[in-house]
Amino acid sequence: MDVLDIFRASMIDMLCEEQGHIDISRSSKGGVKDIRRFVSALTVEGKRSNKTEFHMTEMLTIAERIGLAIPSFDEFVEKLNHQGFILKKGRNIWQIQSGTSSQA
């Protein structure tokens, strides 16, 4: 399997809905720009309040404050976790990883 095959497979996984149909709208919501905006806002809030851990409701408030329109915020948070921007620390508690504001 070459790099292009891996890329295609990951894009199909990202764009397919539960029934297996490709949903192009999934690519725009929660994409790189949204990740950058949110991680940046989370980093700023962390510096302002001198903390690295956030409750899910705090993160949702930050997302609303910056006008992030994500259909499923839970899925967005899981995506951030899988990509290494945040780390799950407990039930509904997430820790922002240092230096993540420039990774997206």
Side-chain angles (χ1 to χ4, degrees), residues 17-80:
E17 59 186 17
E18 292 74 26
Q19 293 80 22
H21 299 100
I22 292 179
D23 181 3
I24 299 299
S25 68
R26 293 177 79 147
S27 66
S28 61
K29 302 296 182 190
V32 174
K33 287 182 182 181
D34 289 335
I35 289 172
R36 282 187 181 148
R37 285 180 50 225
F38 180 73
V39 171
S40 177
L42 198 60
T43 301
V44 167
E45 180 61 27
K47 287 178 182 176
R48 187 189 67 75
S49 60
N50 198 30
K51 66 181 191 174
T52 60
E53 294 183 1
F54 295 89
H55 192 275
M56 183 69 107
T57 55
E58 292 175 292
M59 293 194 309
L60 184 57
T61 299
I62 292 167
E64 289 171 349
R65 185 173 55 217
I66 64 170
L68 205 61
I70 303 295
S72 172
F73 190 70
D74 290 338
E75 287 180 18
F76 180 69
V77 168
E78 286 297 324
K79 185 178 193 178
L80 293 172

Side-chain angles (χ1 to χ4, degrees), residues 1 3-16:
M1 189 177 243
V3 173
L4 289 177
D5 291 332
I6 293 169
F7 179 74
R8 283 185 194 109
S10 65
M11 290 301 293
I12 289 170
D13 286 345
M14 182 182 80
L15 295 174
C16 281

